[in-house]
Amino acid sequence: MIGIIVILNLFQDLKGDMKNKNFYVYILTNKYNNVLYIGITNNLERRMIEHKNGLVEGFSKRYNLHKLVYHENYSDSISAIKREKQLKNWHRSWKFNLIKQNNYVNQQNNQTNYYLNKQNKDLNQQQELIDKHLLNKNSKKPRKKKK
């Protein structure tokens, strides 16, 4: 039954290829990061669900490959297939370097975003303090003179 669902999903995706011009080459690994799987799809979200639920028999199910560690986007299937074949012929160390490089870039982007958000938050807090101070300053009543 599960196999029929997967085949129907693949058929629907292939039928929709004329509309959908996104193709993905992706790399999966297991929780220990010691086994790699390289695949291609035109619906990355659906494909990840299939991998995580073991809906497709084969290498990724046998080795529990559920963690997406890398993907590339292509506008045509031919380019994506060429890239998939290229990556499959790479040495293992080259693949890990590609993943590390991509994760380093993502980590740097996340770190930059964190600091920008923190800086923006700090500026907002400073502005709130200034506004509060000005509000208190302007709302003070004049003091009565002592007799």
Side-chain angles (χ1 to χ4, degrees), residues 74 81-90 95:
Y74 291 90
I81 291 168
K82 283 181 183 177
R83 180 62 168 163
E84 178 194 27
K85 288 181 180 186
Q86 180 187 39
L87 290 176
K88 284 184 174 184
N89 286 320
W90 277 18
K95 295 171 192 174

Side-chain angles (χ1 to χ4, degrees), residues 84-126:
E84 178 194 27
K85 288 181 180 186
Q86 180 187 39
L87 290 176
K88 284 184 174 184
N89 286 320
W90 277 18
H91 296 283
R92 182 177 175 81
S93 61
W94 297 356
K95 295 171 192 174
F96 279 111
N97 285 337
L98 178 67
I99 294 165
K100 285 178 189 173
Q101 179 185 14
N102 181 60
N103 288 339
Y104 175 78
V105 169
N106 287 339
Q107 186 179 30
Q108 292 302 312
N109 288 339
N110 290 340
Q111 202 170 31
T112 301
N113 288 338
Y114 169 79
Y115 286 117
L116 289 175
N117 289 337
K118 185 175 181 343
Q119 190 177 27
N120 193 26
K121 185 178 177 182
D122 291 345
L123 288 173
N124 287 339
Q125 286 174 343
Q126 288 175 357

Side-chain angles (χ1 to χ4, degrees), residues 26 28 37 47-54 60 65-66:
Y26 62 94
L28 296 178
Y37 171 81
R47 192 67 173 136
M48 292 305 99
I49 291 169
E50 290 173 355
H51 282 296
K52 287 184 183 198
N53 293 305
S60 63
L65 304 175
H66 306 300

Side-chain angles (χ1 to χ4, degrees), residues 40-55:
I40 182 174
T41 185
N42 64 346
N43 186 332
L44 192 58
E45 184 178 348
R46 174 196 47 82
R47 192 67 173 136
M48 292 305 99
I49 291 169
E50 290 173 355
H51 282 296
K52 287 184 183 198
N53 293 305
L55 298 177

